[in-house]
Amino acid sequence: MSCTDEEKVELAAYHLRDQAVTWWDMQKTIFGEQHITWLMFRDAFERQYFPATFCLARRQEFLNLKQGDCSVLEYNAEFSRLAEFYPQLVAQDYDRMHQFTKGLAAYIRIRISGFPGSSYQEVLDRALFIEMTQQQITQEKGQDKQSSQKRGNKGQSSQTTTGGSSRPQKAGRTSDGASRPPQHDWKKDRIGSRWHESRDCTLKAQLEATKATS
């Protein structure tokens, strides 16, 4: 907005509320008849509501700012808020870009270091893209893990079903409801009868040989 100093002061004073209105009325009496510039208003306002100790604390917070568990957008919003308390540190776009990059998450910094940006906005866009790509990879890995777990559960259930089929057969029931004995294994009987027949033949041959000798 193309405003004069007087218009800037009037516009700022119009938005004051509650105790700030009382403060400004008192401040105007201190200024007296002199022309109040925007710089005079801002200095007086910051001394009242942003004391030196508060500004120093915010500056230190800005220097130590890290992305941590926040998203890139959340980190950028906090970065812009705290940068207002240390304007001389980020006055140049290169300095702002460098300070912003220092606080990014490690995996983003590593990928950006291979292709350094030329402006703050370029680094911000690249960081957002890297974050989005990483989220997609994590989501795909989670889906693959769930699929492998489902396949493993199906394999276990099929093995359990196959193992249960070897249990001995229970007696069933006929159509009229009467109990039906389990099926007889005739194969075993045939094998057993052959063994008995061969054994009887052997004994018979031994007896005949003994009689002939006597």
Side-chain angles (χ1 to χ4, degrees):
M1 297 176 64
S2 300
C3 300
T4 64
D5 276 359
E6 291 182 357
E7 291 172 340
K8 288 180 180 180
V9 173
E10 290 179 1
L11 181 60
Y14 175 78
H15 289 283
L16 297 177
R17 295 292 183 272
D18 303 328
Q19 295 181 357
V21 176
T22 305
W23 165 82
W24 178 237
D25 291 338
M26 185 179 297
Q27 195 65 37
K28 285 191 294 185
T29 60
I30 296 174
F31 286 137
E33 298 297 330
Q34 62 178 318
H35 177 68
I36 303 175
T37 64
W38 170 248
L39 183 60
M40 293 169 59
F41 174 86
R42 181 170 179 173
D43 289 343
F45 185 85
E46 290 181 351
R47 283 197 305 270
Q48 177 67 21
Y49 294 101
F50 297 97
T53 54
F54 177 83
C55 293
L56 288 174
R58 299 292 79 75
R59 288 180 180 180
Q60 190 62 40
E61 187 178 355
F62 178 65
L63 292 174
N64 298 331
L65 182 63
K66 302 294 182 183
Q67 180 182 350
D69 296 331
C70 299
S71 66
V72 174
L73 285 177
E74 292 171 340
Y75 166 66
N76 180 61
E78 187 67 6
F79 179 87
S80 300
R81 184 183 72 86
L82 293 175
E84 295 294 329
F85 297 96
Y86 216 151
Q88 61 271 28
L89 182 65
V90 291
Q92 301 297 324
D93 186 71
Y94 175 82
D95 297 330
R96 189 181 186 90
M97 176 189 68
H98 179 69
Q99 187 66 30
F100 178 79
T101 305
K102 283 172 55 179
L104 287 170
Y107 77 94
I108 297 179
R109 291 201 315 272
I110 292 173
R111 297 184 184 182
I112 286 180
S113 62
F115 303 93
S118 58
S119 66
Y120 165 75
Q121 186 61 45
E122 183 178 349
V123 171
L124 174 59
D125 293 340
R126 189 171 297 173
L128 289 170
F129 178 77
I130 294 173
E131 180 184 53
M132 180 184 66
T133 304
Q134 184 63 34
Q135 290 174 350
Q136 292 175 347
I137 293 174
T138 303
Q139 184 178 2
E140 290 175 359
K141 286 183 177 179
Q143 293 175 351
D144 293 341
K145 185 177 181 180
Q146 291 179 357
S147 299
S148 62
Q149 289 177 348
K150 290 180 179 178
R151 288 194 297 268
N153 293 335
K154 289 181 179 179
Q156 292 177 358
S157 62
S158 63
Q159 290 177 1
T160 303
T161 305
T162 305
S165 62
S166 61
R167 294 178 180 177
Q169 296 180 354
K170 296 182 180 180
R173 291 185 177 275
T174 59
S175 59
D176 57 356
S179 61
R180 182 176 58 192
Q183 294 181 355
H184 194 72
D185 195 341
W186 298 105
K187 183 178 181 181
K188 291 183 179 180
D189 287 350
R190 286 196 298 272
I191 295 174
S193 62
R194 290 177 183 175
W195 181 83
H196 285 296
E197 289 175 359
S198 66
R199 182 172 176 272
D200 292 341
C201 291
T202 303
L203 291 174
K204 185 176 181 182
Q206 290 176 353
L207 289 173
E208 291 179 354
T210 301
K211 288 179 181 181
T213 304
S214 58

